[in-house]
Amino acid sequence: LRLLLARRDDVAALRSAEARALLVGLLLDLRGVAQGVYSKKAYERLFDWLYPDCTPALQRAAQVWPDEPAVAHALLKFWREFVTNRSSRIVFDCASANGILLFKETSALVVAVGAGVASLGAMPDHVLYERKYKTVALALGVLNAVLQGGYTNFGVFALYNDPALTNAIATG
């Protein structure tokens, strides 16, 4: 992850086979960690570790790898697990903005993936499902999980003229 953070402006380095393999492996491991988190305290630790230091690298990965199903799918599966409020594990303090921040990061990720998929253009039918449809389905799954999570007051976005909610829904 530090490699991605250090090289996030160097697209050629990020698109290397080494970076791809590291990223996919990391995302699979993170998904496993997120699946093992059931308590509020453990989730808060995971959230504090990832946000705000690591999320820019994940956002960048969504921008750099929209055409690579292995990366896009691993990223979206991890993020869906991260935002799924299983066992009511995602409970932020009433004075905390973490629920809103989590939704904003999710919205940015869904928008980046949606823009990447839209930019792919026409492709042969035999790769259409893997490269476009499955990626869109996973992005919609992420959006569904975050909208059903119950940890974000969506009225805040309209109150402060924040386009995160409308952008996510328009992309979905």
Side-chain angles (χ1 to χ4, degrees), residues 59-145:
Q59 298 290 346
R60 187 66 176 144
Q63 295 166 353
V64 171
W65 292 98
D67 59 336
E68 181 58 47
V71 176
H73 297 174
L75 176 60
L76 290 167
K77 286 177 181 179
F78 158 67
W79 202 262
R80 182 182 59 206
E81 183 61 39
F82 184 58
V83 299
T84 298
N85 197 6
R86 187 178 353 95
S87 302
S88 298
R89 66 183 181 171
I90 306 175
V91 180
F92 296 115
D93 186 64
C94 63
S96 172
N98 287 346
I100 295 165
L101 295 171
L102 183 57
F103 181 81
K104 285 178 63 98
E105 289 296 324
T106 303
S107 172
L109 182 74
V110 168
V111 168
V113 168
V117 168
S119 72
L120 292 178
M123 58 184 58
D125 288 344
H126 68 280
V127 296
L128 194 59
Y129 172 76
E130 188 71 19
R131 293 190 181 260
K132 280 192 175 183
Y133 296 147
K134 187 172 181 181
T135 305
V136 169
L138 288 169
L140 289 174
V142 170
L143 194 57
N144 181 47

Side-chain angles (χ1 to χ4, degrees), residues 1 3-4 7 16-29 71:
L1 197 53
L3 174 72
L4 288 172
R7 297 182 180 174
S16 70
E18 176 191 12
R20 178 185 174 272
L22 285 171
L23 180 61
V24 170
L26 173 70
L27 290 168
L28 293 174
D29 290 345
V71 176

Side-chain angles (χ1 to χ4, degrees), residues 152-164:
T152 303
N153 180 356
F154 297 108
V156 170
F157 296 106
L159 182 66
Y160 292 105
N161 295 320
D162 190 324

